[in-house]
Amino acid sequence: MNPTPTLIHHHGDRIAVAAPGAGVELLRYVYRPEAAWEAPKPYIHPLRTLSGRTVTGYRPNDHRWHKGLQMTASHLSGQNLWGGNSYVRGEGYRALPDRVGSMAHRGFDAVAARDGSAVLTERLTWHPYTGETWADELRRVEVHAVDPAAGSWALTWSTSVTNRREEPLRFGSPGTAGREGAGYTGLFWRGPRAFTGGTLLAPGGARGPGLMGHQSPWLAFTGEHDDEDGHATLVFAHAPENDHTGAAGTHPAHWFARTQGYPGVAPSFAFHRELVLDPGDSLVRRYRVLVADGALDEEDIEGRLADIPW
């Protein structure tokens, strides 16, 4: 069994999870409210490797609403739960503060560290600008598979979003609104500025910027640190059942993946077309992020993912 991380809850603000032994803080899950224009929602920052190197960006000057690793909804029935300007078909990005909503923390059902993992289970509500409750979310974030010998650890993010409206919720993206290649929505990682120009890799030797809109069970991003020598690799994977037909229909993930302009990755569930969630139905997804020191190749990645079965 892998060693158990330690967990400290700073009530009303954040939960910190640290690696056993050396005590490197692997992440902070921040759930306090922040600026309304940035579509306040919980997020993870900093996210760190086992050597203590940060692999997320926070409020960069190009997009203040990009905060580490977070669940987003860029287009949701006319509202923006992503943050910042809203993309309007035929008009481009516009400052529309009355379209910017939020995801609000309501409570934790579990915060515990045992048996090789640290887990938090959280209840949230999703809101348009006007404040009504459009959805309930049950979220589970687990830190596990801490492997000092391999220099890596895993984070599994599970979510179930239930429509509480009397009409369908329509999940989209700038891509579904006409902006080619901008299919970002859902779980989103913003990398540190130093990772700009990094390397994208997918199964079968696929690599590079052509992976934008690609479909594959995992996608890896390798970046090089500022200040300190060396690289880090983040491997993003989605559970096999994410692509199966359910209440919200079949919406296989397409990777939103950028290395230029800024480093970012999202397994988008609305890259090319909207996902429609009927009243009372739930959108259920599971994702995994492997955080590793060093530049991993495809063989390394496949081996480590195989050691962490879904």
Side-chain angles (χ1 to χ4, degrees), residues 146-172:
V146 177
D147 189 342
S152 63
W153 62 277
L155 181 151
T156 298
W157 185 303
S158 307
T159 181
S160 176
V161 180
T162 302
N163 182 3
R164 296 305 184 198
R165 301 178 81 195
E166 295 182 354
E167 57 188 282
L169 274 175
R170 306 186 71 90
F171 291 79

Side-chain angles (χ1 to χ4, degrees), residues 202-204 206 210-219 238 242-243 250-256 267-269 271-273:
L211 293 175
M212 174 69 83
H214 183 71
Q215 287 182 279
S216 61
W218 60 262
L219 181 141
H238 58 91
N242 286 2
D243 287 348
T250 301
H251 270 71
H254 293 77
W255 293 105
F256 174 83
S268 173
F269 45 65
F271 195 97
H272 295 295
R273 61 188 179 95

Side-chain angles (χ1 to χ4, degrees), residues 222-253:
T222 297
E224 186 172 8
H225 302 288
D226 278 342
D227 300 327
E228 299 174 297
D229 293 336
H231 296 75
T233 300
L234 289 92
V235 183
F236 303 88
H238 58 91
E241 73 270 16
N242 286 2
D243 287 348
H244 291 178
T245 301
T250 301
H251 270 71

Side-chain angles (χ1 to χ4, degrees), residues 95-109:
L96 300 170
D98 61 350
R99 291 196 186 184
V100 181
S102 62
M103 299 179 189
H105 167 80
R106 295 305 178 196
F108 289 109
D109 291 340

Side-chain angles (χ1 to χ4, degrees), residues 48-49 62-63 84 94 98 168 190-191 224 227 266 277-278 297:
R48 296 188 177 99
T49 68
D62 50 56
H63 298 81
R94 296 182 55 196
D98 61 350
R190 170 64 191 250
E224 186 172 8
D227 300 327
L277 190 66
D278 289 331
D297 61 22

